[in-house]
């Protein structure tokens, strides 16, 4: 793995979503790490150099919002851009994501190309 290649952490409990996004990002020459829970994501963030996090809101255990809050409250990783992705639309998610410090917000269904473009923009700094 090239250390100059940005690494994106995808956090989603759906393996289908993970595979789809991983393929799209790999084609664009980004390294990808995958976590299927908030706890796994926080563990990876402690151990690896991550450039951008793509975070699903609805997951078992910790929600994406809880993970986002911890990331932004942890000095060592607080500067990492976080893209929130949600399939739930009860309203207020975008505002909550912005309030907690997310860099971008996407509600499903998402145009994959639009999401990938935003991730690349945030990851390649």
């Amino acid at each position: 793995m090239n250390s100059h290649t940005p690494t994106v952490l995808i956090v989603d409990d759906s393996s289908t979503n993970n595979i789809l996004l991983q393929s799209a990002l790999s084609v664009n020459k980004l390294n990808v790490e995958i976590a299927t829970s908030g706890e796994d994501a926080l563990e990876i963030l402690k151990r690896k150099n991550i450039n951008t996090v793509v975070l699903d809101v609805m997951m078992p255990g910790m929600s994406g919002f809880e993970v986002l809050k911890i990331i932004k409250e942890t000095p060592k990783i607080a500067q990492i851009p976080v893209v929130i992705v949600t399939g739930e639309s009860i309203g207020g998610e975008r505002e909550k994501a912005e309030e907690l410090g997310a860099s971008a917000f996407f509600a499903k269904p998402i145009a994959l190309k639009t999401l990938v473009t935003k991730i690349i923009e945030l990851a390649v700094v």
Side-chain angles (χ1 to χ4, degrees):
M1 232 189 305
N2 181 345
S3 62
H4 299 296
T5 303
T7 301
V8 177
L9 173 60
I10 301 169
V11 189
D12 196 324
D13 58 321
S14 162
S15 57
T16 305
N17 292 346
N18 291 339
I19 292 165
L20 185 65
L21 193 50
Q22 180 176 21
S23 299
L25 293 172
S26 296
V27 166
N28 285 283
K29 309 288 187 262
L30 294 172
N31 295 322
V32 176
E33 290 283 334
I34 291 181
T36 54
S37 72
E39 292 83 358
D40 288 348
L42 294 170
E43 198 52 46
I44 290 169
L45 284 163
K46 280 184 205 165
R47 295 184 285 113
K48 305 215 175 195
N49 184 18
I50 301 296
N51 299 88
T52 303
V53 176
V54 180
L55 190 53
D56 185 31
V57 172
M58 297 302 294
M59 293 184 293
M62 299 175 85
S63 76
F65 288 134
E66 290 172 292
V67 176
L68 174 59
K69 188 173 188 305
I70 291 168
I71 290 171
K72 293 305 175 183
E73 289 174 350
T74 306
K76 187 178 173 214
I77 56 174
Q79 78 293 347
I80 299 172
V82 178
V83 177
I84 290 286
V85 176
T86 184
E88 182 168 323
S89 63
I90 52 173
E93 289 94 351
R94 180 179 301 274
E95 293 76 13
K96 186 168 184 178
E98 287 172 4
E99 193 179 293
L100 290 172
S103 299
F105 178 91
F106 290 87
K108 295 174 187 171
I110 300 163
L112 186 60
K113 188 174 179 4
T114 307
L115 177 60
V116 169
T117 300
K118 185 63 176 179
I119 293 168
I120 292 168
E121 178 187 307
L122 292 168
V124 184
V125 181

